[in-house]
Amino acid sequence: MKEKQVLIIEDEKPIAEILSYGFKKEGFAVRCAFTGGSGLMAAMEMQPDLVLLDWMLPDLSGVDVCRILTERFNIPIIMLTARSSMEDKLYGLETGADDYITKPFDLREVIARAKTILRRYEKAGAQPQAESSSLIQSGHLTISEAEWIVEKDGIRMDLTPREFELLLYLIRHPRQVFTRAQLLDQIWGYDYEGDTRTVDIHIQRLRKKLDLADSLITVFGVGYKYEPQKKN
Ligand code: CA
């Protein structure tokens, strides 16, 4: 039987190492990621059987990572957190996590719970796999949503998860004008505590990275829209 793969997304290296040690000893294949972004990339690549996900990460919050993962994959997720209030627990579970473990944890308990969840998923016949891949073409861009890949004229471009989501959303709604607040709600979620400048910064980065100055259009006094360009 192929060994089960566990992805650990945790910025505190000693904790990641303890978990890695424990799971390896139990016969799992383990990979560690120390940021939310690299964790997402690793998840796309390896399609793990289980994700252990820290709540507090340096770049994205664990809750965001959890939401993105559960939207795209059918992978069981255990959230790890130093917080212990009931409200946080409920919030963690609402985002799609299967279980929730507070730090400091007992390694044996984490492994036991992981095994329980894996058994539950196997019973349900759920195999972790990406959704059927559909390619979106627009101008010079080709986007594979399932793989989180954007190519410009066949060359793979590096985008952060948020940049990717923002681009995809706008391309899916060509010529439709969105306010910054609408985009914040759609891409970052209602509970995001940043301000609308976040949207401006991401649009600017997308324009620069993908050479989209003519496609990502500022509608003065309103917001932004995506104007598809003919490939020349
Ligand atoms: Ca942390």
Side-chain angles (χ1 to χ4, degrees), residues 44 72-73 130-134 144-149 164:
M44 308 297 156
R72 285 175 173 72
F73 298 100
E131 284 158 26
S132 61
S133 61
S134 57
S144 164
E145 194 189 357
E147 295 172 295
W148 276 55
I149 290 173
F164 183 89

Side-chain angles (χ1 to χ4, degrees), residues 10-12 54 56:
E10 161 67 90
D11 61 310
E12 285 161 83
D54 182 31
M56 302 281 274

Side-chain angles (χ1 to χ4, degrees), residues 38-51:
S38 64
L40 282 173
M41 292 304 160
M44 308 297 156
E45 258 176 54
M46 69 188 275
Q47 299 191 12
D49 298 290
L50 177 77
V51 176

Side-chain angles (χ1 to χ4, degrees), residues 161-177:
R162 290 293 199 213
E163 288 164 359
F164 183 89
E165 285 194 283
L166 179 60
L167 177 70
L168 189 62
Y169 188 76
L170 289 168
I171 283 182
R172 282 221 164 123
H173 303 87
R175 297 181 196 90
Q176 196 175 326
V177 182

